[in-house]
């Protein structure tokens, strides 16, 4: 219902609307992860207390990733390359651009979001300030690396999409 509403505002179809939001949310995912990593490294080096703001940043980084996951799954059900892949598996598997979205992008991104989820939950449960910062830092860095590889950047050797829709 909400998506139909957004499609109307954009005067575009559902697929274009989803692609726009999915492309836009990539930047929010990256910015929030980078900021959380910065806070993790700073807190660890300065041996500071894991305060309310650090906790909010941890929480929102995971939430933004989860929103992107929901948009991604919805887009997966609408995407022409993905539909083509599942309808023509033997032919499509030879085409990197199609296989990238149907399998590689989906699996890597789901792994990265699982890493963010586990890292965030573990950091929340750690008892010392140092352990909280360290857990957040390590798990979020791993997720960022996976996400960076799996984004279809204009310069990616796997698949290319614009920086902005
Ligand atoms: C952190 C998580 C993710 C990031 C940063 C991300 C980023 C992107 C970006 C930048 C694009 C190109 C958008 C464009 O065309 O301009 C894209 C496309 C796409 N993504 Fe994701 N994605 C994520 C997770 C997911 C997940 C979990 C799924 C599926 C379960 C998914 C499915 C797709 C599909 C189907 C396309 C479009 C293929 C087409 O061109 O039709 N993404 N993603």
């Amino acid at each position: 219902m909400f998506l139909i509403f957004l499609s109307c505002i954009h005067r575009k179809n559902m697929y274009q609307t989803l692609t726009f939001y999915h492309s836009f949310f990539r930047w929010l995912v990256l910015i929030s992860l980078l900021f959380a990593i910065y806070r993790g490294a700073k807190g660890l080096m300065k041996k500071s207390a894991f305060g309310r703001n650090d906790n909010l940043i941890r929480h929102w980084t995971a939430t933004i990733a989860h929103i992107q996951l929901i948009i991604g799954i919805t887009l997966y059900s609408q995407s022409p390359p993905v539909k083509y892949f599942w309808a023509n598996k033997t032919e499509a598997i030879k085409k990197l651009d199609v296989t990238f979205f149907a399998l590689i992008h989906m699996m890597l991104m789901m792994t990265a979001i699982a890493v963010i989820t586990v890292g965030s939950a573990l950091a929340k449960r750690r008892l010392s300030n140092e352990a909280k910062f360290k857990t957040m830092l390590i798990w979020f860095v791993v997720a960022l690396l996976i996400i960076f590889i799996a984004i279809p950047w204009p310069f990616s050797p796997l698949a290319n999409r614009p920086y902005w829709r």
Side-chain angles (χ1 to χ4, degrees):
M1 203 57 194
F2 185 60
L3 277 168
I4 295 169
F5 170 68
L6 288 178
S7 308
C8 292
I9 299 178
H10 282 259
R11 293 171 184 276
K12 285 181 177 153
N13 67 31
M14 185 101 96
Y15 172 62
Q16 287 170 316
T17 307
L18 284 166
T19 321
F20 168 80
Y21 281 102
H22 197 59
S23 177
F24 171 72
F25 257 80
R26 155 244 321 249
W27 296 110
L28 296 186
V29 169
L30 290 174
I31 291 165
S32 63
L33 264 179
L34 280 169
F35 193 51
I37 289 167
Y38 160 74
R39 294 290 292 221
K42 192 176 151 203
L44 203 57
M45 284 191 295
K46 295 200 164 175
K47 298 190 193 314
S48 37
F50 193 91
R52 199 181 117 82
N53 284 343
D54 298 298
N55 201 45
L56 278 174
I57 291 158
R58 173 198 64 74
H59 171 80
W60 275 101
T61 304
T63 303
I64 290 168
H66 291 152
I67 297 171
Q68 180 71 324
L69 172 69
I70 294 165
I71 305 173
I73 292 171
T74 320
L75 177 59
Y76 195 88
S77 73
Q78 304 283 319
S79 162
V82 173
K83 283 184 190 165
Y84 170 80
F85 179 89
W86 292 111
N88 310 276
K89 284 190 268 315
T90 34
E91 269 305 301
I93 199 97
K94 296 173 201 151
K95 297 178 183 162
L96 182 57
D97 190 76
V98 177
T99 311
F100 175 79
F101 286 109
L103 300 177
I104 304 169
H105 179 79
M106 180 265 286
M107 288 194 294
L108 284 179
M109 290 310 196
M110 284 201 168
T111 307
I113 295 166
V115 170
I116 294 174
T117 310
V118 173
S120 168
L122 286 177
K124 187 179 174 182
R125 282 161 186 76
R126 294 285 190 245
L127 298 177
S128 72
N129 289 315
E130 189 189 356
K132 279 176 179 289
F133 281 126
K134 203 171 178 179
T135 307
M136 184 168 83
L137 177 66
I138 294 170
W139 289 77
F140 283 11
V141 166
V142 172
L144 180 64
L145 290 176
I146 302 171
I147 289 172
F148 194 83
I149 293 167
I151 287 181
W153 296 111
F155 54 83
S156 171
L158 301 168
N160 313 105
R161 293 289 185 273
Y163 287 115
W164 183 259
R165 284 279 175 186

